[in-house]
Amino acid sequence: MAGDPQNDHGILEETRPKTQKPTLYRVILLNDDYTTMEFVVQILETVFHKTPSAAHQIMMQVHTLGHGVCGAYSYEVAETKVATVQDLARRDGFPLQATLEEE
Ligand code: TYC
C-alpha cells in the first residue's frame, strides 16, 4: 500500500516523500485596447525579468490571443506581481489587468 510504513520484513520504514512540490500559480496578462505595447514590454522586463526579446514575444501573444503567461511562482510571489502590475498600470493611467491561475 502506498505510504504504508510496514514492509514485508516487519521493519518500520518511512516511505513518505520528504519533499512536497509547491503549488505554483501562473500570472496571466490580459489584453485590452488602451495599454501601449511599450508599457507592457516594460512591465514584462521589470516585474517578470524577461529579456527584451521574450518580453516582446509575450506581449504580442497577449495582443493577438487575448492572454499570455508571464511566469509561475509561489502564491505569495504571484499575488505580489499581480498587485505590482496593477499599481504601475494605474499610476500611468492604463487599464492593464493581470490574474492568477493554479498550475
Ligand atoms: N492591445 C494593446 C494595443 O494594441 C497592447 C497590449 C498588449 C495591451 C498586451 C495589453 O496585456 C496587453 N495597444
Side-chain angles (χ1 to χ4, degrees), residues 3-63:
D4 188 348
Q6 182 101 40
N7 64 25
D8 62 4
H9 43 269
I11 295 168
L12 288 172
E13 284 177 359
E14 185 53 87
T15 57
R16 179 175 51 85
K18 287 213 174 6
T19 55
Q20 293 285 307
K21 268 197 203 159
T23 307
L24 294 182
Y25 295 81
R26 288 189 277 262
V27 176
I28 312 290
L29 209 54
L30 302 176
N31 191 33
D32 67 74
D33 292 338
Y34 304 101
T35 306
T36 63
M37 292 182 170
E38 187 188 17
F39 182 80
V40 175
V41 167
Q42 190 188 307
I43 288 287
L44 286 162
E45 289 179 18
T46 58
V47 180
F48 298 97
H49 309 293
K50 300 298 177 187
T51 62
S53 152
H56 186 264
Q57 218 174 310
I58 295 167
M59 181 282 292
M60 282 309 294
Q61 196 202 331
V62 178
H63 177 67

